[in-house]
Amino acid sequence: MRGRLLAPAATMLLLAGCSGSPEPPGGPAPASPVRLVAYDGCGKLLDELHRATVEKVGPTGLDDSPVLPADGTWALGKVPGGAESRAQGQAPPHSTTNSHEPGADEPDLVKTDGRRIIALAGGRLRVIDQAARTVTHTLELPGETRYGNGQLLLSGNRVLVISRQQRVVAFDRPGPGASPLPMPEQLMRLTLVDVAGAPKIVGSMTSTAGYLDARQSGSTVRVVVQSRPRIDFPGRGDAEKATSENRNAVWAAPLEAWLPAFQTDSGQTFRAPCDQVSRPSSYAGSSMLTVLTFDLAKGLGDPQPIAVIAEGSTVYGNGKSLYVTGTPPEPFTRSPRKRAQPRTDIYKFDVGGAGRPRYVAAGSVKGSLLNQYSMSEHEGNLRIATTTGRQAPNDRSSQSSVYVLAQRDASLTEIGRIDGLGKGERIHSVRFIGAGAYVVTFRRTDPLYALDLKDPRRPRLTGELKITGYSAYLHPAADGKLLGVGQDADTSGQTSGLQISLFDVSGEPRRVGTHKLPGASSQAEFDPHAFLYWPESGLTVVPVLRPGRGAAEALVLKVAGARITETGTVRHPGKSGRNGVDRSLLVGGTLWTFSDAGAHATDASTLKGGDWLPYG
């Protein structure tokens, strides 16, 4: 088929430094120096892209390229403090989206500044007056349908909506008189909305680059996208001839085939300048990671793109640094025994300033990571937890490690490591808190490992708790406690339903409280942004799907001392399938819950009374 657009990244050098722990079988590769390669002109850049891409071409184009691994969620975030409001006076205390780091807001379905709530559902933006408990405005977004997906960020009176959409484009077909072939094409759309009064669209930008994630600090937003070369491969028939034709197509492709375009509604098109494209030394790939920068107060003008020739899938940021990680494609083999051990490549950007970020370092570690919570920067060092192993059903060789990487010039170099966590198991959740770390691995039982990382060169294991089941998400709670949301299981590893655990990790970790719902599951197990915890009162809310109860409801708990007690549940009316609760917020003494069908406000302490705001 013509129009194949995927291309793999080639091998990048591995980085590892000295480690105080013993080297396990299949452990990290020896350290190698890294140099970042930049381009002062477009000729050299295009030549390298031509050469890297043509080596991957076969008779059907670049069809050996992997699909980007999904993080499993769209990342979510926290509204920055000090946001403008439409009325004078102080906003009531309110929760914000559950995010990884307080300095890096992340996109979500719902945002609030304590006075108004901005919710996205069914391709429409709703503005809710939380005090009056009314939907004051509804705005239909361009290109969206009732099944559209998207997320938003809020800064003062500006809302940025980030959505994945699909459009149909025509690809030429070979042969005289052949009509173009309509093909679906993914599109990322950024829509900037002013909500000072009735919401109005003040700017938009589209791109065929694939959206990965975004982070916000103040009014500055960084959007990370991944793209692959857009080359129409003409090869047909005989494999040798088709390969030759496809390689000729690569050599003839212009630089624009690799550098994604970002088009505004005013007709402007932006691409990363050649002097803003880099790669790690020894890397010869054709995929692009691009970071865009916007000041929401100024609109969607020049996104100041900066690009790295690399694969990416997971984004972590803390307001000062932005990390993007990816797993390079493995050579295909039908034998699991011969498959290469996965590794994670890491790219670091300095985003401490308001303008274009700087690509400052690259590194690599053995194994694959679970999600962004497997990473954390502390005192300038990156901590990252990964699992090695071939991921085959009966593979017992897996084990997990926590690495500490320091930036040395352009390299992320290993300075410490601890290995051997959960042998024969895989990581199910990670949480770094200050100089400590907590890692959950699981196969039949749930070891919760407690690690001390105060000395980054000598990480050490300080405790291990083995219980049935596992925690898929860990959240810090008051008084040195740790909340876990996951699944209960029997001794053989067979899961049996939702389990919320309370751990005391002030010393040797021990579980002090549980709440179980047989047969149930929660979106919070794989999407932390569905989780709400209010430390002042211990209010904890998770959406729960239970057998025989239809759509998901909000389970409301109180966590106090060493106890977890159930306060009750909140259900949304209707049976349309759109009434499943997926988010919650606390504003003053009101608990707000949200679904695609509407918003519900109720007393947070009693769950009595309340108002239903249908979206219509």
Side-chain angles (χ1 to χ4, degrees):
M1 180 182 295
R2 302 182 80 185
R4 290 187 182 272
L5 306 180
L6 300 180
T11 302
M12 174 187 169
L13 80 166
L14 298 176
L15 296 178
C18 298
S19 171
S21 60
E23 180 73 17
S32 300
V34 171
R35 179 173 54 89
L36 297 183
V37 177
Y39 302 90
D40 54 8
C42 295
K44 179 65 173 176
L45 171 60
L46 179 58
D47 181 66
E48 286 199 3
L49 289 169
H50 277 155
R51 294 180 184 278
T53 305
V54 79
E55 292 181 359
K56 315 297 179 187
V57 171
T60 57
L62 294 168
D63 59 348
D64 60 340
S65 175
V67 176
L68 266 183
D71 193 5
T73 65
W74 283 53
L76 309 168
K78 209 173 201 178
V79 177
E84 299 174 23
S85 65
R86 293 175 296 149
Q88 294 183 350
Q90 188 174 3
H94 57 279
S95 65
T96 55
T97 306
N98 180 30
S99 63
H100 190 175
E101 298 282 9
D105 186 15
E106 305 171 9
D108 195 12
L109 304 174
V110 181
K111 294 287 183 181
T112 185
D113 58 10
R115 300 186 181 281
R116 61 194 165 188
I117 297 171
I118 314 295
L120 184 62
R124 290 170 173 80
L125 197 71
R126 271 85 177 188
V127 180
I128 299 172
D129 185 323
Q130 75 85 21
R133 297 188 179 184
T134 59
V135 178
T136 57
H137 300 288
T138 297
L139 176 68
E140 186 170 355
L141 296 167
E144 291 282 359
T145 69
R146 62 174 295 185
Y147 304 106
N149 60 80
Q151 292 187 319
L152 54 87
L153 291 163
L154 173 66
S155 175
N157 287 318
R158 293 291 176 93
V159 175
L160 180 65
V161 181
I162 308 170
S163 59
R164 294 182 176 104
Q165 299 175 357
Q166 192 175 78
R167 66 182 179 186
V168 176
V169 296
F171 287 100
D172 293 335
R173 289 193 288 186
S179 60
L181 178 67
M183 294 287 292
E185 180 178 60
Q186 296 299 317
L187 190 72
M188 176 190 72
R189 182 184 294 274
L190 307 177
T191 306
L192 187 62
V193 182
D194 189 289
V195 293
K200 60 180 179 180
I201 296 172
V202 294
S204 66
M205 179 173 288
T206 59
S207 178
T208 56
Y211 170 73
L212 286 184
D213 214 335
R215 293 294 182 273
Q216 175 183 350
S217 296
S219 63
T220 300
V221 173
R222 319 283 184 176
V223 179
V224 185
V225 300
Q226 171 85 75
S227 60
R228 293 182 169 84
R230 300 172 58 81
I231 300 173
D232 187 8
F233 293 106
R236 292 293 185 278
D238 176 75
E240 184 176 348
K241 180 181 178 182
T243 299
S244 177
E245 291 176 352
N246 289 337
R247 287 177 175 173
N248 288 337
V250 172
W251 285 115
L255 185 57
E256 288 76 16
W258 284 269
L259 294 177
F262 305 95
Q263 299 170 322
T264 68
D265 53 357
S266 63
Q268 292 179 291
T269 298
F270 298 95
R271 285 185 169 90
C274 294
D275 62 358
Q276 294 297 327
V277 179
S278 305
R279 65 168 173 83
S281 58
S282 302
Y283 191 91
S286 54
S287 297
M288 287 278 181
L289 279 173
T290 305
V291 181
L292 311 177
T293 299
F294 303 97
D295 185 338
L296 299 190
K298 297 178 180 178
L300 301 182
D302 183 357
Q304 305 179 70
I306 175 175
V308 177
I309 304 172
E311 291 276 351
S313 57
T314 303
V315 177
Y316 161 74
N318 60 7
K320 296 181 180 179
S321 301
L322 183 75
Y323 294 87
V324 185
T325 70
T327 301
E330 301 176 15
F332 177 76
T333 174
R334 295 185 183 277
S335 172
R337 293 179 178 271
K338 295 181 180 179
R339 289 176 188 165
Q341 291 283 357
R343 75 169 191 269
T344 298
D345 295 337
I346 310 158
Y347 313 101
K348 179 183 179 180
F349 299 85
D350 181 347
V351 293
R356 178 179 270 128
R358 292 188 306 114
Y359 174 40
V360 293
S364 186
V365 293
K366 277 281 189 178
S368 55
L369 55 79
L370 179 67
N371 53 31
Q372 65 155 314
Y373 285 85
S374 298
M375 293 181 281
S376 171
E377 187 181 79
H378 182 68
E379 297 182 346
N381 297 324
L382 176 68
R383 294 88 57 86
I384 181 168
T386 66
T387 298
T388 57
R390 297 182 178 89
Q391 304 189 40
N394 297 318
D395 178 39
R396 304 283 177 158
S397 66
S398 63
Q399 64 107 32
S400 297
S401 305
V402 173
Y403 298 82
V404 183
L405 306 179
Q407 183 179 336
R408 299 288 186 261
D409 297 324
S411 299
L412 294 174
T413 303
E414 179 190 319
I415 60 171
R417 184 179 82 244
I418 185 167
D419 300 301
L421 304 177
K423 293 182 178 179
E425 303 175 333
R426 307 199 69 79
I427 288 177
H428 275 245
S429 60
V430 182
R431 194 73 194 223
F432 293 94
I433 303 175
Y438 304 93
V439 179
V440 170
T441 63
F442 177 75
R443 190 179 189 96
R444 292 186 176 178
T445 57
D446 168 6
L448 169 65
Y449 295 100
L451 306 176
D452 183 348
L453 307 177
K454 290 188 182 70
D455 184 347
R457 297 182 179 277
R458 295 175 178 80
R460 62 190 185 92
L461 180 67
T462 59
E464 177 182 349
L465 173 65
K466 286 191 176 183
I467 53 178
T468 56
Y470 63 87
S471 296
Y473 173 66
L474 296 171
H475 191 89
D479 302 322
K481 305 289 196 309
L482 192 66
L483 274 167
V485 181
Q487 286 284 306
D488 192 11
D490 59 25
T491 55
S492 68
Q494 181 66 43
T495 58
S496 57
L498 183 68
Q499 176 175 261
I500 299 175
S501 302
L502 182 64
F503 302 100
D504 186 335
V505 291
S506 57
E508 183 76 17
R510 58 193 180 95
R511 186 164 65 181
V512 295
T514 59
H515 188 80
K516 299 182 181 183
L517 293 177
S521 61
S522 174
Q523 186 182 4
E525 294 177 57
F526 58 87
D527 186 352
H529 313 103
F531 181 87
L532 170 63
Y533 173 73
W534 190 247
E536 285 81 355
S537 64
L539 176 79
T540 303
V541 184
V542 294
V544 170
L545 186 62
R546 298 197 231 192
R549 293 209 184 187
E553 59 192 10
L555 172 67
V556 184
L557 306 170
K558 182 178 178 63
V559 177
R563 296 183 61 192
I564 304 175
T565 56
E566 181 174 337
T567 301
T569 59
V570 177
R571 293 181 60 84
H572 285 195
K575 298 180 180 180
S576 65
R578 299 174 57 229
N579 63 324
V581 176
D582 56 17
R583 291 294 185 273
S584 58
L585 287 172
L586 185 68
V587 184
T590 301
L591 174 64
W592 286 87
T593 54
F594 304 87
S595 67
D596 282 346
H600 191 279
T602 188
D603 184 277
S605 58
T606 65
L607 302 186
K608 294 181 179 179
D611 295 287
W612 168 242
L613 283 62
Y615 289 157

